[in-house]
Amino acid sequence: MAAVRTDDATLAGGAGSAPPARSRRSIGWGYLARRILLAIESFLVTLIIGFIVFSLVPSDPAQSLSRVQAVTPQQMADLRKELGLDDPIIVRFFTFLGHTFTGNFGYSWEYRQSVGSLIGSAIGPTLLLMGCATAISVLLGLWLGIRSGWRPGSKFDRFFTGTAVTLWSVPTFWLGMMLLVVFSVGVGPLPRLFPAGGMSDPTIDPHGFVHILDVAHHLVLPCVTLVAVTFAQNLMIMRSSLVDELGNAYLTTARAKGLRDADVRQRHAVPNAMLPAITVIFLQIGGLVGGAIVTETVFSWPGLGLLVYNGIKIPDLPLLEGTFVIFSGSVIVFNLLADLLYRVLDPRVKG
């Protein structure tokens, strides 16, 4: 009986759920802590690199700001002192860090207003444009990637893969300008169908349903431009992942159980093939806040991209530094979320 009791106690102790549960929780919290520390490290390194790049800009902001009128050397010296251009580089670096961690990016040299208010007014149009473009490109790319990857080598696969790679190779600014020429100017019998730029018609009352339709009308061409050059990435990654899954034994087992081909694809192959696409999708969402500088500039879309383009002309360093922090921070945050979601979806991922 003692032996039996010993065995029972051993079995009870071995089957206890508390130690394994604590182990799993510690591994999970440890993974989270490591990923957060890596994200902070990446952000700090990005800030340092960004500051170095801004410091190496060859243009003189003081000269650019005073280009509209003649100034004396004393006035130029006073302007440089006011802008902090003559401060030691270490002082400028810590000033940049202070602006970053307090969220107070100072005042724009070009617009003569706070950088925070400029970013606040421009982020809405950027989120609208990039949100619509990202949603469409993700849904379209994944759907086409699943169809192409499930039947590799088919006519459907060859046509859409070739089309996607071709559009992916086209420069964004060139495609945007071609769409402007064809659909905003008109070619031959084709009339002008869409506005040439901007976000809305200033003659239309900015309230009500008519204004919403007008914004949607202006949104079409820049959104199509972004979708055309970004959906291919989702398509190709989803297709490649699904092709890699086709030879696995679990799909053969699922078919042997009598499941339909569509069920095998949707219930078994696609969930496993989705894992690599998740990282790309989250990185695209992270870049959403940054916007598309080229697209917004071509279509005069009043978002962060156009704001950055205008700031580069001087260069407007407070504006560029503020938008740089927003851009890099959003990418790092969504990359962190992608790592955490990847861990949840695939238990094989180890920190």
Side-chain angles (χ1 to χ4, degrees):
M1 294 299 294
V4 173
R5 284 195 298 271
T6 302
D7 291 342
D8 289 344
T10 303
L11 290 174
S17 57
R22 285 196 297 269
S23 177
R24 285 194 296 270
R25 285 197 294 269
S26 64
I27 291 175
W29 284 112
Y31 179 81
L32 176 62
R34 286 191 295 272
R35 300 315 301 178
I36 292 177
L37 289 176
L38 285 175
I40 294 174
E41 179 183 350
S42 299
F43 185 61
L44 292 176
V45 172
T46 302
L47 291 180
I48 295 173
I49 295 175
F51 176 79
I52 294 174
V53 171
F54 294 141
S55 300
L56 295 177
V57 173
S59 178
D60 187 352
Q63 291 285 354
S64 300
L65 289 171
S66 59
R67 65 185 180 275
V68 295
Q69 59 183 0
V71 296
T72 65
Q74 182 60 43
Q75 290 173 327
M76 180 63 68
D78 293 339
L79 179 59
R80 292 183 61 85
K81 182 178 180 180
E82 178 186 351
L83 299 180
L85 297 175
D86 292 333
D87 292 342
I89 190 168
I90 189 66
V91 174
R92 292 167 55 190
F93 176 68
F94 280 106
T95 300
F96 171 56
L97 289 183
H99 288 167
T100 299
F101 293 114
T102 60
N104 178 18
F105 300 108
Y107 282 81
S108 167
W109 299 341
E110 172 70 11
Y111 293 95
R112 300 295 181 180
Q113 65 182 93
S114 68
V115 173
S117 64
L118 289 171
I119 293 176
S121 62
I123 197 170
T126 291
L127 290 176
L128 175 62
L129 172 59
M130 298 303 295
C132 293
T134 301
I136 296 173
S137 65
V138 167
L139 295 176
L140 181 63
L142 293 183
W143 182 77
L144 292 176
I146 292 171
R147 293 287 302 273
S148 298
W150 193 245
R151 294 286 184 269
S154 63
K155 292 181 179 180
F156 184 94
D157 175 40
R158 292 197 299 270
F159 175 78
F160 283 103
T161 301
T163 302
V165 172
T166 300
L167 291 174
W168 200 2
S169 305
V170 172
T172 306
F173 74 91
W174 183 88
L175 179 60
M177 290 189 295
M178 291 301 101
L179 291 177
L180 278 176
V181 170
V182 175
F183 296 105
S184 293
V185 178
V187 176
L190 186 65
R192 178 178 181 271
L193 299 176
F194 297 100
M199 184 176 174
S200 61
D201 188 341
T203 62
I204 295 179
D205 183 8
H207 305 284
F209 187 67
V210 176
H211 174 68
I212 296 176
L213 292 178
D214 181 54
V215 172
H217 194 210
H218 284 76
L219 181 65
V220 172
L221 288 185
C223 186
V224 169
T225 301
L226 288 174
V227 170
V229 298
T230 58
F231 87 97
Q233 188 177 15
N234 298 314
L235 186 155
M236 298 303 295
I237 291 177
M238 190 66 210
R239 177 188 181 278
S240 177
S241 299
L242 195 57
V243 169
D244 290 340
E245 297 293 328
L246 293 181
N248 288 335
Y250 72 89
L251 296 182
T252 304
T253 303
R255 290 189 177 97
K257 291 181 178 180
L259 292 179
R260 297 180 304 168
D261 191 65
D263 292 333
V264 173
R265 182 183 66 219
Q266 295 302 125
R267 296 182 183 179
H268 299 278
V270 170
N272 287 286
M274 276 291 295
L275 294 176
I278 289 174
T279 302
V280 175
I281 292 173
F282 269 79
L283 287 176
Q284 287 182 349
I285 297 175
L288 180 152
V289 179
I293 296 177
V294 173
T295 302
E296 292 189 358
T297 302
V298 169
F299 292 97
S300 300
W301 188 263
L304 290 175
L306 184 60
L307 196 64
V308 170
Y309 174 78
N310 292 331
I312 292 175
K313 297 177 183 178
I314 295 180
D316 190 340
L317 293 183
L319 178 59
L320 293 178
E321 290 171 355
T323 52
F324 173 79
V325 170
I326 299 298
F327 295 171
S328 57
S330 64
V331 173
I332 291 173
V333 166
F334 278 97
N335 191 30
L336 172 63
L337 293 177
D339 287 340
L340 299 180
L341 182 60
Y342 212 97
R343 166 87 173 208
V344 172
L345 295 178
D346 190 352
R348 296 171 297 178
V349 176
K350 300 297 180 183

